[in-house]
Amino acid sequence: MSAIQIQGLRPLKGTVGIQGSKNAVLPMMAASLLADGVTVIRHVPEIEDVFSMMGILESLGCKCSLEKGVLTVDTKAASGHRIPEEYVGKMRSSCLLLGPLLAGRGEAVTYYPGGCVIGKRPIDLHLYALKRLGASFFEAGGMILARADRLRGARIRFSYPSVGATENAILAAVTAEGETEIENCAREPEIVWLCRYLRSMGAEIQGEGTHCIRITGVKELKAGNMQIPPDRIVVGTYLCAAAATRGKITISNPPEGELDAFLEVYGKMGGQYNRRSGKLIADGSGTAFPVPFLETDTYPGFPTDLQSPLMAVLTTIPGKSRIRENIFENRFRIVEELNKMGASVAVSGREASIQGGTCLRGCTVRARELRGGAALLVAALAAQGETVIEGCSFIYRGYEHICEDLASLGAQIEEDTGTAFL
């Protein structure tokens, strides 16, 4: 059983570099199926979700290698169209392969995706977009069977700006016949990076970062070559850790302009930050002010992936804070574990009320999903005594070397391997 042990109440200080973005690399890996050749992606994090996507690609006939952050995907012998159920159950992003498989093979077989307990996260919008482009779907024995003789450009208007559905629509449309217009699409930075990547492969795309993306299909794409940007959610997590411990840290390679909503809240809590020589210097020593009301939203709003780590910080600040979760209905599962540590958090529907300033105390808690697990790390760093976090495989889905990184900033932390990082 994976576990992490933390001795709290040690302010973080120092400089840390940030891994490549999980949410950017996964759709790029899926895009490798759109070209015949060897794709090279650099600054790739060695995390469980990346290894799972590699496993899927290899099951389809690709040859994959990840060494020192450089991922190569050779698709020359790839001919499969069935996504193994074992991977679908682990990782929701497996559904991003539907678009490329339909575009390149004309068929795909998969299952309803898993890998998450924070909400229902239906794939209806994915299927809607692909149907608009000419795909047909059937269900048999728990499987989803997809077919498309030829994808053709269409007008797609989403009822909700889903990131994954937007990515799937883009991946399917870049080689579809004719023009595609995607309206009310997601605007997240990962969408922008995917479009840049596809454009480097020869795709014709306009409008990324807005609510309307226009694509003119091309007959073929060349293999891609791209460096992954730093992970904005990891940056936010580390800033939360510094704020919870009233520490001061420097991010050596922060993303540009992708964390404005988070940094605005960070400032309201009393945190200070500035950019100097390409670095983000953050001082959380003055973190002392509750947040009367905050709600998560699609980009450029406050990211749902940082809601749980922020909640952990707010438990350490005297006064009442309130959070409304608008994206995933089960994101508050972390509350039970925080309250075990002495926090005072009450949930009513989609809102959580945090009465901060109570003393957090170390105990044994369990991570049940990725960002909630990261939030427990943040709380443990600010707690008296020792905290043991079980279920850490969830954390490793998205954080490459989080224990080593926190240790380099002064945390007293030990993984279940018996290796201490002091």
Side-chain angles (χ1 to χ4, degrees):
M1 180 182 297
S2 61
I4 297 174
Q5 297 176 335
I6 298 172
Q7 294 287 342
L9 297 182
R10 297 181 61 159
L12 300 186
K13 59 181 179 180
T15 300
V16 66
I18 301 300
Q19 68 185 63
S21 169
K22 174 182 93 76
N23 291 335
V25 71
L26 295 176
M28 291 185 193
M29 293 174 71
S32 65
L33 290 174
L34 293 169
D36 183 15
V38 180
T39 288
V40 179
I41 308 176
R42 288 162 278 118
H43 197 214
V44 174
E46 296 184 10
I47 55 177
E48 289 303 318
D49 275 13
V50 167
F51 294 132
S52 291
M53 184 64 86
M54 289 173 64
I56 296 174
L57 292 173
E58 288 171 344
S59 76
L60 297 172
C62 300
K63 294 181 180 179
C64 302
S65 172
L66 177 57
E67 186 174 351
K68 295 182 179 179
V70 179
L71 172 69
T72 59
V73 181
D74 185 344
T75 63
K76 294 173 186 175
S79 59
H81 65 276
R82 182 185 294 268
I83 303 171
E85 186 176 10
E86 62 181 291
Y87 291 111
V88 176
K90 290 180 181 178
M91 186 182 64
R92 177 177 173 77
S93 295
S94 60
C95 65
L96 293 177
L97 293 159
L98 281 174
L101 286 173
L102 287 168
R105 314 276 191 275
E107 60 181 336
V109 177
T110 188
Y111 303 80
Y112 280 99
C116 191
V117 298
I118 58 173
K120 296 177 182 177
R121 304 181 77 166
I123 62 170
D124 299 17
L125 292 177
H126 295 251
L127 304 186
Y128 156 75
L130 296 173
K131 286 178 182 178
R132 292 290 298 163
L133 294 168
S136 299
F137 292 89
F138 311 90
E139 292 189 32
M143 296 185 296
I144 301 174
L145 311 176
R147 294 189 179 89
D149 293 333
R150 182 75 172 99
L151 295 180
R152 291 179 172 82
R155 179 175 178 267
I156 299 168
R157 179 170 180 80
F158 288 121
S159 58
Y160 176 83
S162 161
V163 175
T166 298
E167 291 170 339
N168 232 334
I170 293 168
L171 290 166
V174 287
T175 57
E177 182 181 309
E179 296 185 355
T180 297
E181 186 174 280
I182 308 171
E183 298 179 355
N184 196 31
C185 57
R187 300 167 58 191
E188 269 72 3
E190 294 77 25
I191 301 290
V192 175
W193 282 102
L194 175 61
C195 290
R196 289 177 183 172
Y197 177 63
L198 290 167
R199 193 180 294 118
S200 75
M201 296 170 68
E204 295 185 13
I205 305 174
Q206 294 180 329
E208 67 270 21
T210 74
H211 284 305
C212 183
I213 294 176
R214 293 179 174 85
I215 299 170
T216 301
V218 297
K219 290 185 177 180
E220 61 181 13
L221 298 175
K222 62 182 180 181
N225 191 311
M226 176 68 77
Q227 174 153 324
I228 298 298
D231 194 309
R232 63 192 176 102
I233 304 303
V234 174
V235 174
T237 301
Y238 289 179
L239 293 183
C240 283
T245 64
R246 308 303 189 259
K248 304 176 183 179
I249 67 171
T250 297
I251 306 296
S252 63
N253 60 330
E256 290 290 337
E258 297 182 0
L259 278 168
D260 291 350
F262 172 81
L263 289 173
E264 180 181 356
V265 175
Y266 177 79
K268 288 179 178 179
M269 294 190 300
Q272 298 182 357
Y273 63 93
N274 63 78
R275 292 181 180 272
R276 187 184 308 156
S277 302
K279 299 178 180 181
L280 178 62
I281 302 168
D283 183 351
S285 62
T287 303
F289 304 100
V291 177
F293 180 73
L294 167 75
E295 60 181 341
T296 61
D297 201 354
T298 56
Y299 191 85
F302 191 92
T304 182
D305 282 350
L306 288 175
Q307 183 258 98
S308 295
L310 180 74
M311 180 185 289
V313 178
L314 293 174
T315 66
T316 73
I317 300 175
K320 185 175 181 179
S321 298
R322 186 161 59 98
I323 297 175
R324 178 172 178 80
E325 173 57 53
N326 292 319
I327 309 300
F328 298 128
E329 67 275 11
N330 288 337
R331 184 69 89 176
F332 290 141
R333 290 190 65 173
I334 185 65
V335 168
E336 180 181 353
E337 303 302 304
L338 290 176
N339 285 346
K340 284 182 185 178
M341 300 178 69
S344 179
V345 184
V347 175
S348 176
R350 284 186 173 265
E351 292 195 2
S353 177
I354 302 108
Q355 187 61 51
T358 58
C359 180
L360 297 181
R361 293 181 174 83
C363 64
T364 298
V365 291
R366 174 171 289 276
R368 302 185 187 278
E369 45 90 11
L370 171 57
R371 306 305 175 185
L376 291 177
L377 277 171
V378 172
L381 292 167
Q384 289 184 357
E386 181 181 86
T387 300
V388 177
I389 303 174
E390 298 178 342
C392 293
S393 58
F394 288 107
I395 299 173
Y396 302 144
R397 281 187 53 204
Y399 295 87
E400 184 175 21
H401 300 304
I402 191 166
C403 291
E404 293 93 324
D405 285 349
L406 293 175
S408 73
L409 297 173
Q412 186 173 338
I413 187 167
E414 183 178 344
E415 292 183 275
D416 65 346
T417 59
T419 301
F421 303 102
L422 305 177

